[in-house]
Amino acid sequence: MSSYRIGERITCKAAVAYGPGESLVIEEIVVDPPQKMEVRIKILFTSICHTDLSAWQGRNEAQQAYPRILGHEAAGIVESVGEGVMDLKSGDHVVPIFNGECGHCIYCKSENTNLCEKFRVNPLRSVMVNDGKCRFSTKDGKPIFHFLNTSTFSEYTVLDSACAVKIDPKAPLNKMALLSCCISTGVGAVWNTAKVKPGSSVAVFGLGAVGLAVVEGARAIGASKIIGVDVNPDKLAKGQTIGITDFINPKLIDKPVHEKVNDIIEGGVDYSFECAGNLDVLREAFLSTHDGWGLVVVLGVHPSPRLLPLHPMELFDGRKIVASTFGDFKGKSQLPEFAKTCMHGVVKLDEFITHELPFEKINDAFQLLIEGKSLRCLLHV
């Protein structure tokens, strides 16, 4: 990195996406100083989520923007702050969040949502909210687009202050990176969205990082039965390590999954969590819950234009279906306390970091995720 003074542009390395499925290019870019109500962060650790993978592959044409810096799961240190930022300062340890919290809008003031009027998750947005411009550019001055309010595949990034959460400086930043997405999403879905009660039964459809975070949240809250469902047989061992009590591989049974769930728990589970982003799986998750009171929480990202595979009359049998964004955590106001809960070992994070690589090996990390070999590959930036 070139020498600079606070308030000036920084030249640093970033992994830039130039087209759908093209290998990310590690190159020097220019990062502008933060503008009003923005912060510039030095990223120390970042990891790859399936959302990054989908964006890199360009599955949704409406969300494509190139060149672009992806990444939304990370941890780092504030380098500088823009005008008006009062809750953050240079040197603070922070976690970027894709679902921001301004604290002032009607949404942020409501107890009924964790969405924010301006800074909620928006995969279509590729510029800063403040002025509609990019804070990244190539060495020859061409703009590089942003991603999910965060863009963490860079040594330095600029965020709206609403999307940066200050955490305890004693917290291990490598593990805290997971709070940017998978752990908060999965555990929060159990604790905040479903409000799972001790002794309850749970089924988790899709045992990726978010699904296993659901398992961890259910284990920590004291669920009596945790059924994991996945077509990858390798998920059995990892799931058992984290807390599943039963495992179903849909490819190895001769009946619908919900019937197999009913064999394990008569009547079905109290709660099910759909983490696969597949409507057929969602249908099975719905039918796997108990008639009269079953609750389905949707966590998977669904790129298909197909609609919900439910008839409205089925809802009169008492089953309910909801979705959860960022585990229903209000990021700025609630995540610092959740980080302390993780520091105290209530939620175990070690099992989720399956690989660690230098930042320059980011394309290898993508391949590990594509092949289903990693939960989280932590990149040391």
Side-chain angles (χ1 to χ4, degrees):
M1 187 192 72
S2 60
S3 61
Y4 72 99
R5 291 179 297 180
I6 285 179
E8 294 182 346
R9 290 181 166 185
I10 291 177
T11 300
C12 70
K13 287 183 179 180
V16 183
Y18 279 95
E22 295 181 16
S23 293
L24 300 183
V25 178
I26 303 292
E27 64 179 87
E28 283 200 336
I29 66 161
V30 176
V31 184
D32 289 341
Q35 302 302 304
K36 185 177 180 180
M37 296 305 293
E38 296 174 359
V39 296
R40 188 161 59 186
I41 294 171
K42 178 175 175 56
I43 298 294
L44 298 181
F45 301 96
T46 188
S47 52
I48 302 171
C49 169
H50 270 95
T51 303
D52 299 310
L53 179 61
S54 296
W56 170 69
Q57 292 172 330
R59 291 180 180 174
N60 189 325
E61 290 186 7
Q63 297 175 9
Q64 291 182 17
Y66 303 103
R68 197 175 203 178
I69 296 175
L70 303 175
H72 66 284
E73 199 171 78
I77 298 174
V78 174
E79 176 269 337
S80 61
V81 303
E83 176 190 347
V85 177
M86 305 300 292
D87 63 327
L88 295 167
K89 64 183 185 304
S90 178
D92 282 345
H93 289 204
V94 291
V95 169
I97 51 173
F98 61 84
N99 190 57
E101 180 189 357
C102 75
H104 307 297
C105 71
I106 188 173
Y107 293 83
C108 287
K109 290 180 178 179
S110 171
E111 295 180 355
N112 298 319
T113 183
N114 70 331
L115 300 180
C116 174
E117 187 172 9
K118 280 189 176 181
F119 302 106
R120 68 172 70 186
V121 56
N122 182 356
L124 294 176
R125 182 186 296 141
S126 58
V127 294
M128 298 300 290
V129 172
N130 195 23
D131 57 5
K133 297 180 180 179
C134 299
R135 301 290 178 262
F136 304 118
S137 58
T138 62
K139 293 293 288 293
D140 56 2
K142 296 178 181 178
I144 301 174
F145 293 111
H146 295 255
F147 177 68
L148 287 186
N149 296 327
T150 48
S151 290
T152 62
F153 293 165
S154 175
E155 290 180 323
Y156 286 85
T157 188
V158 176
L159 314 176
D160 293 291
S161 62
C163 298
V165 176
K166 180 180 177 180
I167 59 172
D168 190 325
K170 296 188 292 292
L173 281 175
N174 59 336
K175 298 178 185 179
M176 291 298 103
L178 303 182
L179 271 58
S180 283
C181 184
C182 72
I183 294 296
S184 299
T185 298
V187 174
V190 176
W191 294 4
N192 303 329
T193 309
K195 295 180 173 61
V196 171
K197 297 178 177 63
S200 301
S201 55
V202 170
V204 185
F205 289 74
L207 297 179
V210 170
L212 288 171
V214 170
V215 172
E216 175 61 17
R219 180 206 62 78
I221 210 70
S224 61
K225 276 280 187 182
I226 306 174
I227 303 171
V229 183
D230 204 291
V231 295
N232 184 347
D234 295 338
K235 298 293 185 179
L236 171 59
K238 177 59 74 172
Q240 288 177 328
T241 299
I242 292 176
I244 65 170
T245 59
D246 300 83
F247 181 75
I248 298 173
N249 184 336
K251 291 184 175 180
L252 302 180
I253 58 175
D254 56 1
K255 61 175 68 175
V257 172
H258 72 272
E259 293 184 10
K260 184 65 175 178
V261 171
N262 201 278
D263 289 342
I264 298 172
I265 298 179
E266 186 176 356
V269 292
D270 300 309
Y271 308 91
S272 72
F273 297 81
E274 189 278 317
C275 309
N278 182 298
L279 284 173
D280 296 325
V281 173
L282 176 57
R283 174 77 181 164
E284 287 299 311
F286 181 80
L287 295 174
S288 293
T289 61
H290 203 292
D291 176 82
W293 64 79
L295 176 66
V296 186
V297 180
V298 181
L299 294 169
V301 176
H302 288 256
S304 168
R306 288 171 56 200
L307 301 181
L308 285 175
L310 304 173
H311 191 284
M313 296 306 296
E314 291 181 296
L315 297 172
F316 285 90
D317 288 328
R319 296 184 178 96
K320 296 180 176 65
I321 181 167
V322 298
S324 178
T325 300
F326 197 54
D328 278 323
F329 278 112
K330 286 183 178 285
K332 295 275 279 189
S333 54
Q334 295 179 334
L335 213 61
E337 192 60 35
F338 181 55
K340 291 180 181 178
T341 299
C342 294
M343 288 172 64
H344 294 151
V346 177
V347 176
K348 300 174 183 177
L349 304 179
D350 292 325
E351 291 293 336
F352 289 84
I353 301 174
T354 54
H355 298 76
E356 297 192 44
L357 290 172
F359 183 57
E360 291 74 13
K361 298 284 188 180
I362 190 170
N363 287 301
D364 294 341
F366 266 93
Q367 194 58 38
L368 286 169
L369 189 61
I370 290 170
E371 295 172 0
K373 294 179 179 178
S374 70
L375 288 179
R376 282 298 183 263
C377 179
L378 193 68
L379 298 168
H380 294 245
V381 184

